[in-house]
Amino acid sequence: MATAAPLTPERILEATEEVLRRHGAAKATVVDVARALGVSHGTVYRHFRTKAELRGAVTKRWLDRTSVALAGIVTGSEPPEAKLRHWLAGLFDAKQHKAGDDPELFATYTVLTEENGGVVNDHIAELTGQLTAIIQQGVADGDFASPDPALSARAVFDATSRFHDPCYAPHWSRPGIDEAFVAVLDLTVRGLRA
Amino acid sequence: MATAAPLTPERILEATEEVLRRHGAAKATVVDVARALGVSHGTVYRHFRTKAELRGAVTKRWLDRTSVALAGIVTGSEPPEAKLRHWLAGLFDAKQHKAGDDPELFATYTVLTEENGGVVNDHIAELTGQLTAIIQQGVADGDFASPDPALSARAVFDATSRFHDPCYAPHWSRPGIDEAFVAVLDLTVRGLRA
């Protein structure tokens, strides 16, 4: 079953996510992905050399959806404190949606992130890098005080773990979670103020 | 095998912990506990009516060891900010020791806390109550600003989750964890300052 559209890495990753959604992380195979695309599994392996590489790439794509959306906040024109609040609320909102809108796919990606520690570390470095940029701007504007913006960024990221770390996903739909988030957000922002 | 010492609830809980240490949460039985004490299982049931009640009580005893040790800091004579730092460092230290000194018993108690949600909620209420008392003192002394010390206490507890929530136990022995803790501690304390 040949297909007319050119076989790009992005199309393979789309098909992989669909196969993961249908079969789960344990059962999804490269043969399933190839079948969904109407190509041989050898063709898939020309783009991703191993099953592990394909799983790492689809995990990265899933995580990138969040960091790409947040990058727009970093480069926006809001003052630093509003930007920081907006960014942290955006991260929490993205995670709540990922976990709540499609819990099975979220569980599948939770398994995949556990087997792709390097991809996750790069993602965390990307996110804390964005936070560092916001804090640096706040220091430059005289709104924030921080002798080491990268360390402060890591502290802000760690202090808000309850609202983005998948180990807390079952909490994100509980009553009171938004009030708890705002309380931590206020504490964190106050902690950065000059 | 009769024993001379009187059979107190505390002695039963000690024996239960020893049985849990030896057999793990899945395999430990009330018969094992009775055998360790040289009594019949009916005798154990006169003190704890069900296996679930016994498991809840031993879980509470394990959690209380931390909160009792921290209570002394709350009633101490340090200024509020030092007290808060001391208390949070004491909580992290207690958790690091529980997880690191006897990882198998820690894993066993992690299973037990999952099946005893009510006991865990009481423990968290006890800990955030202690934090509330420290923050109230700070507000009274003019060192901290907080319109709602109980809400601030919950925010401080949530913001430091990475350093006391068992889901992060594998992180507590990693390089850089102490620096990360101090960064979150500094951010949190600054966030409370008047």
Side-chain angles (χ1 to χ4, degrees):
Chain A
M1 198 175 23
T3 171
L7 189 67
T8 60
E10 179 58 24
R11 275 195 62 221
I12 295 173
L13 293 174
E14 260 169 41
T16 304
E17 181 165 297
E18 197 42 47
V19 164
L20 284 164
R21 189 192 308 273
R22 242 181 297 138
H23 301 300
K27 290 189 187 157
T29 67
V30 175
V31 171
D32 294 326
V33 174
R35 190 177 299 131
L37 290 163
V39 301
S40 73
H41 64 279
T43 304
V44 174
Y45 282 128
R46 272 202 288 279
H47 293 267
F48 299 95
R49 285 169 306 163
T50 62
K51 182 178 172 182
E53 190 177 312
L54 178 59
R55 285 164 81 95
V58 78
T59 306
K60 180 178 183 322
R61 178 173 172 270
W62 158 263
L63 297 171
D64 281 352
R65 262 180 248 166
T66 301
S67 44
V68 166
L70 294 172
I73 297 172
V74 179
T75 53
S77 58
E78 292 171 301
E81 184 175 317
K83 204 177 264 192
L84 181 66
R85 288 179 178 275
H86 193 167
W87 191 94
L88 289 166
L91 177 60
F92 184 32
D93 185 66
K95 294 287 185 143
Q96 278 181 309
H97 274 286
K98 276 183 169 176
D101 295 350
D102 195 340
E104 286 181 20
L105 189 65
F106 187 77
T108 292
Y109 274 111
T110 300
V111 173
L112 285 170
T113 54
E114 279 157 16
E115 66 185 42
N116 287 283
V119 171
V120 172
N121 287 343
D122 289 348
H123 176 62
I124 292 172
E126 163 69 28
L127 292 178
T128 53
Q130 292 186 9
L131 273 175
T132 303
I134 296 173
I135 294 169
Q136 278 169 334
Q137 190 201 333
V139 171
D141 291 5
D143 295 347
F144 293 156
S146 168
D148 182 344
L151 185 64
S152 296
R154 185 68 212 205
V156 169
F157 192 74
D158 284 353
T160 52
S161 295
R162 185 170 286 267
F163 309 100
H164 57 71
D165 193 312
C167 84
Y168 292 106
H171 296 231
W172 296 339
S173 52
R174 289 188 191 162
I177 189 73
D178 289 322
E179 193 193 19
F181 172 68
V182 171
V184 169
L185 186 61
D186 286 346
L187 182 72
T188 305
V189 168
R190 279 179 55 96
L192 282 174
R193 277 195 199 137
Chain B
M1 200 176 18
T3 170
L7 189 65
T8 59
E10 180 57 24
R11 274 196 61 222
I12 295 173
L13 293 175
E14 260 170 39
T16 304
E17 182 165 295
E18 197 42 47
V19 165
L20 284 165
R21 190 192 307 272
R22 240 180 299 137
H23 300 301
K27 289 188 187 156
T29 68
V30 175
V31 170
D32 293 326
V33 174
R35 189 177 299 131
L37 290 162
V39 302
S40 73
H41 65 278
T43 306
V44 174
Y45 282 127
R46 272 202 288 280
H47 293 267
F48 298 96
R49 286 170 305 164
T50 62
K51 181 178 173 183
E53 192 176 309
L54 178 58
R55 286 165 81 95
V58 79
T59 306
K60 181 179 183 318
R61 178 173 172 273
W62 158 263
L63 296 171
D64 281 353
R65 261 180 248 164
T66 302
S67 42
V68 167
L70 294 172
I73 297 172
V74 179
T75 53
S77 58
E78 291 171 300
E81 185 175 316
K83 203 176 265 194
L84 181 66
R85 287 178 178 276
H86 193 167
W87 191 94
L88 289 167
L91 178 59
F92 183 33
D93 186 64
K95 295 287 185 142
Q96 277 180 310
H97 274 285
K98 277 184 169 176
D101 295 350
D102 194 340
E104 284 181 21
L105 190 65
F106 187 78
T108 293
Y109 273 111
T110 301
V111 173
L112 286 169
T113 55
E114 278 157 18
E115 68 185 42
N116 288 282
V119 171
V120 172
N121 287 344
D122 290 349
H123 176 63
I124 292 174
E126 164 70 27
L127 292 179
T128 53
Q130 293 186 9
L131 273 176
T132 303
I134 296 173
I135 293 170
Q136 278 168 335
Q137 190 201 333
V139 171
D141 290 5
D143 295 346
F144 291 157
S146 167
D148 182 344
L151 184 64
S152 296
R154 183 71 213 202
V156 169
F157 192 74
D158 285 353
T160 52
S161 296
R162 185 171 287 268
F163 309 100
H164 57 71
D165 192 313
C167 84
Y168 291 106
H171 296 233
W172 297 339
S173 52
R174 290 189 191 163
I177 190 73
D178 290 322
E179 191 195 20
F181 172 69
V182 171
V184 169
L185 187 62
D186 286 344
L187 182 72
T188 304
V189 169
R190 278 179 55 96
L192 283 174
R193 277 193 201 141

